[in-house]
Amino acid sequence: MTVRYSLSCDLSYDVKSPTVFIFNLEVANLVRHHDLVERLVITPDYKTRTHVVPDIRNRYFSIDAPPGPLNVRYEAAVTLDAFCADPSTVNEMQLNAVPLDIMPFLLPSRFVPSDRLAAFAEREFGGMPTGHRRVTAICNWIYENIDYQRGASNEQTTATESLIKRAGVCRDFSHIGIAFCRALNIPTRYVSCYAYGLEPRDFHAVFEAYLDGRWWLFDATRQANLDGLVRIGVGRDAAEIAFASPFGEMEPGPVLITIDRADGTPEPPVRTSEAISTEEPAPNAGAN
């Protein structure tokens, strides 16, 4: 499925003391992100430093901001070429077939203590049909058992704490899904994105599971279109891909996000039930 999207984000800050900002809000350089046209406007016009992470292609830029107002606006148009498949054909992999660069996504991380949830995950999901269907079952469980509740968590909340509280936002839903999958030896990573169909519009968090040699998208909140997720960054958890990391004293203003189909077509009434990937298969990856 190929659709062109126009999107933007607008961030504002009242900087109180000299502050270094690291931003990760630009569209990732993926093969399936075609014809990317973008513009970054920083007011005042401070110089930036940039870095693209090899392989995963996260894009970071930093600003050294003195005291005063700061505004960061990013605009882009991109054609998303989402790969679709029948979920029943997407299988889990034997660990000895998983590429070594994928293996770190099996390990516990700061907000995803998957080792502590292993017994729970095995009891709830260990006997289910494996592959894409099992990860979907995990998403179904989260959707049915965790309340989507703004203010129920903060930037320090772990998957275990969200599970105990039975409430959270997209960040927490993704952390719980990642924890359950890793506990079942399914490599999984956190994804930040612009999400078509999400209301109210905001940065969105989903996750990807590594199945049959490819990363597949999952959203336990069910609030956006899987085939309308324009990726920003990926990491082991939210700590690695915050859209803004300030080092200094400042007060943030509102975050304004837009994403629309470039042709003006409204959101489809029925969201896809197909397996969706926006990442290319890993070279020489084996599968069951």
Side-chain angles (χ1 to χ4, degrees):
M1 179 179 294
T2 302
V3 178
R4 189 159 184 81
Y5 294 100
S6 58
L7 57 89
S8 69
C9 78
D10 208 313
L11 311 176
S12 61
Y13 301 91
D14 181 8
V15 182
K16 304 295 186 179
S17 66
T19 300
V20 175
F21 289 87
I22 300 175
F23 293 98
N24 177 216
L25 51 79
E26 297 169 294
V27 172
N29 289 326
L30 303 183
V31 172
R32 291 186 172 272
H33 287 169
H34 302 309
D35 303 321
L36 176 62
V37 179
E38 57 188 348
R39 184 171 74 118
L40 177 65
V41 179
I42 299 168
T43 307
D45 187 17
Y46 299 133
K47 291 183 179 180
T48 64
R49 293 172 292 165
T50 63
H51 175 63
V52 179
V53 180
D55 300 326
I56 60 175
R57 297 171 299 283
N58 293 355
R59 302 167 63 193
Y60 297 92
F61 68 90
S62 69
I63 299 171
D64 299 336
L70 171 66
N71 180 260
V72 176
R73 179 169 177 79
Y74 175 69
E75 303 171 351
V78 62
T79 300
L80 174 62
D81 180 14
F83 178 80
C84 307
D86 180 348
S88 66
T89 67
V90 181
N91 303 306
E92 291 175 27
M93 301 175 66
Q94 298 293 335
L95 288 182
N96 60 8
V98 175
L100 286 177
D101 63 320
I102 304 297
M103 297 296 277
F105 295 104
L106 283 167
L107 304 177
S109 57
R110 178 179 177 184
F111 295 118
V112 182
S114 50
D115 51 338
R116 299 181 181 180
L117 297 176
F120 183 92
E122 181 62 33
R123 183 172 63 252
E124 291 290 332
F125 312 111
M128 292 184 172
T130 60
H132 194 282
R133 291 172 293 179
R134 175 150 67 168
V135 183
T136 297
I138 289 172
C139 290
N140 292 343
W141 188 95
I142 296 169
Y143 181 79
E144 293 165 0
N145 290 276
I146 307 297
D147 292 333
Y148 192 92
Q149 183 179 329
R150 293 183 181 274
S153 62
N154 58 38
E155 65 277 3
Q156 300 298 324
T157 304
T158 68
T160 304
E161 292 166 339
S162 297
L163 186 60
I164 292 171
K165 185 175 287 189
R166 296 293 176 105
V169 293
C170 60
R171 174 187 186 274
D172 309 299
F173 278 51
S174 295
H175 282 158
I176 295 171
I178 294 168
F180 287 161
C181 287
R182 289 181 187 170
L184 295 167
N185 293 328
I186 303 171
T188 324
R189 65 188 186 183
Y190 186 93
V191 181
S192 62
C193 56
Y194 295 96
Y196 182 64
L198 181 68
E199 292 294 344
R201 297 181 180 189
D202 203 344
F203 292 112
H204 195 42
V206 296
F207 69 93
E208 287 178 327
Y210 192 75
L211 306 165
D212 264 350
R214 190 179 200 128
W215 290 104
W216 299 89
L217 287 160
F218 295 89
D219 182 4
T221 73
R222 297 180 180 170
Q223 293 193 6
N225 298 335
L226 285 179
D227 53 359
L229 301 178
V230 177
R231 192 171 103 190
I232 300 171
V234 295
R236 290 175 298 173
D237 57 34
E240 297 186 343
I241 51 171
F243 70 85
S245 300
F247 298 86
E249 185 182 0
M250 58 84 216
E251 291 184 3
V255 177
L256 303 176
I257 305 293
T258 69
I259 178 168
D260 296 288
R261 291 176 66 122
D263 61 5
T265 304
E267 178 189 350
V270 179
R271 292 174 176 169
T272 183
S273 60
E274 292 186 288
I276 300 294
S277 173
T278 58
E279 182 69 275
E280 292 304 284
N284 304 316
N288 290 345

